[in-house]
Amino acid sequence: SAKHHGKQTYRVFEPQLMEVIQRQRSLEAALRRASMRDEFRIVYQPVFCSAKGEITGAEALLRWTCPEHGEISPTEFIPIAEELGLVARIGADVLRKACKDAASWPAHIDLAVNVSPVQLLDPRLPQTVAQALADSGLSPSRLELEITETALLNNDEAALRTLTQIRDLGVRISLDDFGTGYSSLSYLHRFPISRIKIDKSFVQKLPDDVGSASIVRAIAQLGSSLSMKITAEGIETDSQLSFIKEHGCDEVQGFLTGRPIALADFLVLTGQQAENVEA
Ligand code: C2E
Ligand code: MG
Ligand code: MG
Ligand code: MG
């Protein structure tokens, strides 16, 4: 009853909470306008073969500079885009643009693109991927989509169908942030996954943290017995790199070997374009 309700009312809107809510509202409004205003850009983080140190690919990472709030991390704006129903379109734009960029890279350099759990729920995703490949001319064998375990959790029948269709296009699937979610081994078996990316939270505690070292070793062994490739993410130090090399991770990605960079800089890195010559 109203009387009862009145008694139970208490004050939750602390000034700080109000600020958080206002920022959220404002970001939502700004995100709705962002695509139209061309505020997104993609940066590329190089991925290297750990044995030889040669570049094997790059991960496309989305960046948004909001006119009102400045640079916003994708860990903040992707969840908002998911809630607002914008992530399918933003994700399709990333795929289209990144495939177009990668089509002009040397053929041994692969492209990885992140796919949100909400995108994976959309049965039109395989068609979106096929279209991005067709428009760009990028070979499907050079594209890898990164998904997280969350995406497989509640809708595994639908996810399996969608991922199988994508696999049948010749595109690979990798499991990102491995070790942080539910890490059910049945996922690895049930879904067409060809790579595991070990989450940076473990890699960053190497080599001293015994627990993280064991987890990384175990994932590397698991990967090799399931014939999956392993990438270690978030390598920042030489000792982390040494550990990873010793324990059979195939590829490395981290600030030590290369930060995410603009396309033009990535082209310089891969030797496709001379660095600016002084006039
Ligand atoms: P992720 O897919 O796991 O991407 C790796 C993140 O780790 C990137 O953060 C990258 O900059 C960061 N990183 C790489 N090496 C290091 C390192 O050595 N040290 C540290 N501290 N960090 C490192 P970023 O770009 O901020 O992206 C965060 C997350 O946002 C991504 O995590 C991914 O889940 C999501 N995301 C980014 N771009 C997209 C996108 O286009 N679509 C979707 N759906 N999600 C995206
Ligand atoms: Mg290749
Ligand atoms: Mg990723
Ligand atoms: Mg990751």
Side-chain angles (χ1 to χ4, degrees):
S1 72
K3 200 172 155 196
H4 210 114
H5 179 81
K7 268 186 189 165
Q8 289 182 331
T9 301
Y10 54 87
R11 198 182 139 82
V12 287
F13 287 94
E14 299 292 339
Q16 254 181 331
L17 181 58
M18 205 58 216
E19 262 172 47
V20 170
I21 291 170
Q22 270 162 2
R23 176 181 160 87
Q24 177 82 9
R25 287 286 137 71
S26 168
L27 280 178
E28 286 174 10
L31 196 57
R32 289 185 196 281
R33 297 187 293 258
S35 295
M36 269 167 44
R37 292 187 186 160
D38 211 16
E39 291 164 5
F40 292 117
R41 66 188 196 286
I42 300 173
V43 289
Y44 294 98
Q45 185 175 28
V47 177
F48 298 87
C49 152
S50 58
K52 293 184 174 173
E54 288 162 353
I55 186 164
T56 57
E59 177 174 4
L61 295 162
L62 192 57
R63 294 291 178 262
W64 176 36
T65 310
C66 170
E68 292 87 20
H69 298 276
E71 188 80 17
I72 311 292
S73 162
T75 57
E76 185 172 12
F77 74 74
I78 293 289
I80 300 175
E82 288 174 340
E83 277 170 38
L84 297 180
L86 300 173
V87 81
R89 212 187 60 213
I90 294 173
D93 286 348
V94 171
L95 259 172
R96 200 168 19 245
K97 173 68 164 63
C99 286
K100 196 163 156 267
D101 288 347
S104 66
W105 301 345
H108 66 280
I109 300 181
D110 294 335
L111 169 69
V113 177
N114 292 285
V115 169
S116 106
V118 174
Q119 281 177 275
L120 199 63
L121 284 175
D122 184 350
R124 288 165 302 183
L125 182 64
Q127 178 55 37
T128 303
V129 174
Q131 195 64 52
L133 290 168
D135 291 349
S136 62
L138 184 72
S139 162
S141 67
R142 291 178 57 199
L143 178 63
E144 194 161 289
L145 299 187
E146 301 192 357
I147 61 164
T148 53
E149 291 163 286
T150 339
L152 309 178
L153 195 62
N154 292 320
N155 59 93
D156 65 344
E157 281 307 323
L160 180 60
R161 241 187 335 268
T162 302
L163 290 175
T164 303
Q165 286 172 17
I166 291 170
R167 196 265 324 268
D168 290 347
L169 294 171
V171 171
R172 280 159 299 143
I173 312 288
S174 66
L175 203 49
D176 205 353
D177 304 340
F178 191 76
T180 57
Y182 297 84
S183 301
S184 163
L185 297 186
S186 72
Y187 292 148
L188 299 177
H189 184 67
R190 224 167 106 66
F191 294 92
I193 291 160
S194 56
R195 177 189 304 277
I196 295 171
K197 296 188 79 170
I198 304 177
D199 191 67
K200 56 179 176 289
S201 59
F202 304 111
V203 175
Q204 286 174 345
K205 290 183 206 137
L206 297 175
D208 298 327
D209 183 74
V210 180
S212 296
S214 310
I215 288 170
V216 169
R217 264 197 301 270
I219 298 175
Q221 279 163 16
L222 184 70
S224 92
S225 53
L226 292 171
S227 301
M228 289 176 184
K229 292 267 200 267
I230 303 289
T231 302
E233 195 168 66
I235 293 179
E236 293 183 353
T237 68
D238 288 316
S239 56
Q240 289 163 0
L241 183 60
S242 312
F243 185 98
I244 285 303
K245 282 163 98 168
E246 274 167 37
H247 291 90
C249 294
D250 305 279
E251 289 175 350
V252 295
Q253 181 180 350
F255 291 172
L256 179 72
T257 48
R259 287 184 178 260
I261 49 178
L263 175 66
D265 298 320
F266 186 73
L267 296 178
V268 171
L269 178 80
T270 56
Q272 299 168 72
Q273 200 170 280
E275 275 183 80
N276 287 341
V277 182
E278 284 188 28

